[in-house]
Amino acid sequence: KNLLETLADNFPAKHKMLASEVIKKSTGNRYAAEADAWANVIGCDSDDILIANCNYDISCAGNINLLCSVLALPTSNGPIIGRNLDWFPVEQIKAATCLLKYHRSGKHIFTISGCPGSIGVVTGISAKGFALAINAVGSQAPFQMHNTPVLFKLRETLEGALSYEEALEDLSRELLTSPALITIVGSSNQQMACVERIPNDYSVRGPHQGRLVVANDFRAFDVKLGRDMIGESGSRFNWLSRTALSNHSEEQSVTNEDMFSVLSGSPLQL
């Protein structure tokens, strides 16, 4: 509850009802009932739930740094993806983070790494054989408040796409509120991509020398459109690209512990 209120309090109280209505309209009102259910469980206002799930867009609009690094590698068992996350408020998010598993008619459909009250998706995996992760990026392209909020779009894709290819197409075409770097990994080593997004356009890049690295800056898009969320984004990208697990090959396995060690390495500590 404290985390949700902290996130919602980033938004002026007098504008909360209006913001909630804009969110409902831009998402086709499909998450209002879920927000109400979370509000009843947690003991907070459903408008706060919806606004907290737009924290990414609010932070991007306010030029607040949301820092993270993603690494995806081919392995003998198919691709593996790992990430770190340094979003505000760090300690509250750390304390509240959990796995949320979603089922429909008794059947598992997707899992996300989130917090109680999470509706939008920062990191998730679908039962259809693909995973998604978002990194923040700055852009000179204007904020588009009536487009779909980014984390809600990732939720829609994670829940609805039937394949890696469909997810890639869906996240490339939708009009979004904010810029974003969206990593998509499928079930084969050839299925790794980063969709570099501004609200009304996109570019897609694949792995380089077998690995896909994403920090907080555009790599395929016109760099004139972007601004690093933090000046060290390039050095983090370079370290993961050239140094982390540098001797890894596609024939090798990679454990969760390997990925954790790399993504908590000193060059990535902010």
Side-chain angles (χ1 to χ4, degrees):
K1 181 177 179 180
N2 290 338
L3 171 60
L4 290 167
E5 290 175 345
T6 297
L7 295 175
D9 284 347
N10 286 332
F11 205 84
K14 64 180 180 180
H15 298 315
K16 281 187 178 181
M17 185 174 294
L18 174 61
S20 176
E21 291 306 311
V22 170
I23 293 166
K24 290 175 184 177
K25 184 175 180 180
S26 65
T27 59
N29 206 33
R30 65 172 60 90
Y31 302 114
E34 190 170 336
D36 288 341
W38 272 121
N40 288 333
V41 170
I42 296 170
C44 63
D45 190 272
S46 62
D47 286 346
D48 284 351
I49 296 282
L50 291 172
I51 292 168
N53 278 274
C54 287
N55 183 54
Y56 175 85
D57 304 280
I58 295 167
S59 296
C60 285
N63 293 334
I64 297 172
N65 287 334
L66 300 174
L67 309 175
C68 38
S69 302
V70 166
L71 174 64
L73 295 171
T75 80
S76 56
N77 298 313
I80 186 171
I81 181 172
R83 71 160 313 143
N84 59 25
L85 187 71
D86 217 348
W87 288 16
F88 170 84
V90 174
E91 291 304 320
Q92 286 178 280
I93 290 176
K94 180 179 178 181
T97 296
C98 59
L99 290 179
L100 299 171
K101 298 183 178 183
Y102 287 73
H103 296 77
R104 181 180 295 126
S105 302
K107 185 177 181 180
H108 173 248
I109 50 176
F110 63 91
T111 298
I112 69 172
S113 175
C115 306
S118 292
I119 299 175
V121 172
V122 174
T123 312
I125 184 167
S126 167
K128 299 297 183 181
F130 64 89
L132 305 175
I134 185 174
N135 287 40
V137 66
S139 173
Q140 298 173 21
F143 182 79
Q144 301 290 337
M145 68 176 292
H146 294 291
N147 289 351
T148 303
V150 173
L151 302 190
F152 284 110
K153 180 56 194 175
L154 264 70
R155 161 65 185 273
E156 180 185 328
T157 301
L158 192 67
E159 186 172 7
L162 300 178
S163 65
Y164 165 86
E165 292 80 8
E166 188 174 321
L168 183 62
E169 175 75 13
D170 193 33
L171 290 167
S172 299
R173 303 297 183 181
E174 182 85 9
L175 300 179
L176 301 177
T177 54
S178 307
L181 303 173
I182 306 169
T183 301
I184 310 174
V185 172
S187 55
S188 75
N189 286 331
Q190 290 69 46
Q191 295 178 324
M192 294 191 286
C194 175
V195 183
E196 300 190 352
R197 287 300 314 261
I198 59 174
N200 300 328
D201 203 357
Y202 74 98
S203 184
V204 178
R205 65 177 174 91
H208 177 66
Q209 295 181 343
R211 65 176 59 199
L212 181 64
V213 174
V214 185
N216 297 111
D217 52 340
F218 289 128
R219 293 282 157 169
F221 231 139
D222 183 349
V223 294
K224 293 179 181 178
L225 289 172
R227 60 169 185 83
D228 282 3
M229 293 299 285
I230 191 168
E232 289 79 15
S233 178
S235 62
R236 287 185 284 120
F237 180 94
N238 290 337
W239 185 80
L240 280 172
S241 298
R242 301 172 186 171
T243 307
L245 297 175
S246 57
N247 296 321
H248 170 75
S249 70
E250 186 172 329
E251 291 75 29
Q252 294 176 306
S253 62
V254 178
T255 66
N256 293 337
E257 290 74 19
D258 292 333
M259 295 294 275
F260 181 82
S261 177
V262 167
L263 290 165
S264 58
S266 57
L268 303 182
Q269 298 301 305
L270 303 170

